Amino acid sequence: MRERAAVAFALLLAALGRAQAESAPAALAPARAAELVHLLRHDCGSCHGLFLKGGLGPPLSPSALAGKDPQALVLTVLEGRAGTPMPPWKGLLDEAEARFLVDLLLAGRVP
Ligand code: HEC
């Protein structure tokens, strides 16, 4: 019985986590969201390609990112990757903003 309760609780947590992930982009003010999309195309795009299909940096298309842990990708954006040209963005982006960009990339919904 106790095990069943633990499983139910774990499922609830997973569902809550998913709901939170889905609502993350909507939490940003529209003006800031537009700024971030501009940053994604122009700053990120300077390495990853204007259409994010790759250049100096790898492609950031949904198929290229499929199966990667979203939180690990958020960390890559915030911290960069030491020893590679991927710079840290945490001075310019907070975690919710990095998450917003990663969610757009994973969904293939970069406007
Ligand atoms: C100066 C070039 C450069 C810029 C600018 C840059 N990146 Fe990168 N990025 C890279 C490189 C190179 C890698 C691959 C690092 C490696 O070899 O692991 C990378 C890796 C990544 C990854 C991991 C991809 C994967 O398949 O694991 C993500 C996500 C990412 N970048 C997102 C961004 C975002 C979002 C921005 C803008 C906020 C950005 N990058 C700006 C060069 C850049």
Side-chain angles (χ1 to χ4, degrees), residues 32-53 60 65 77 86 89 93 97-106 108-111:
R32 181 62 178 154
E35 275 172 21
L36 292 180
V37 168
H38 188 268
L39 175 100
L40 187 60
R41 285 263 181 237
H42 296 272
D43 295 66
C44 314
S46 67
C47 283
H48 292 279
L50 182 60
F51 298 102
L52 306 169
K53 293 187 189 302
L60 300 178
L65 297 177
V77 174
M86 174 62 186
W89 292 88
L93 303 173
E97 292 170 341
R99 177 83 208 197
F100 169 83
L101 293 180
V102 166
D103 284 347
L104 284 183
L105 293 170
L106 286 171
R109 285 197 287 112
V110 181

Side-chain angles (χ1 to χ4, degrees), residues 52-77:
L52 306 169
K53 293 187 189 302
L56 170 64
L60 300 178
S61 56
S63 57
L65 297 177
K68 302 205 172 179
D69 176 15
Q71 194 53 36
L73 297 173
V74 168
L75 268 185
T76 294
V77 174

Side-chain angles (χ1 to χ4, degrees), residues 3-42:
E3 256 169 38
R4 290 252 297 266
V7 168
F9 187 58
L11 288 175
L12 177 68
L13 282 184
L16 283 176
R18 201 168 308 134
Q20 210 177 12
E22 277 167 12
S23 66
L28 292 182
R32 181 62 178 154
E35 275 172 21
L36 292 180
V37 168
H38 188 268
L39 175 100
L40 187 60
R41 285 263 181 237
H42 296 272

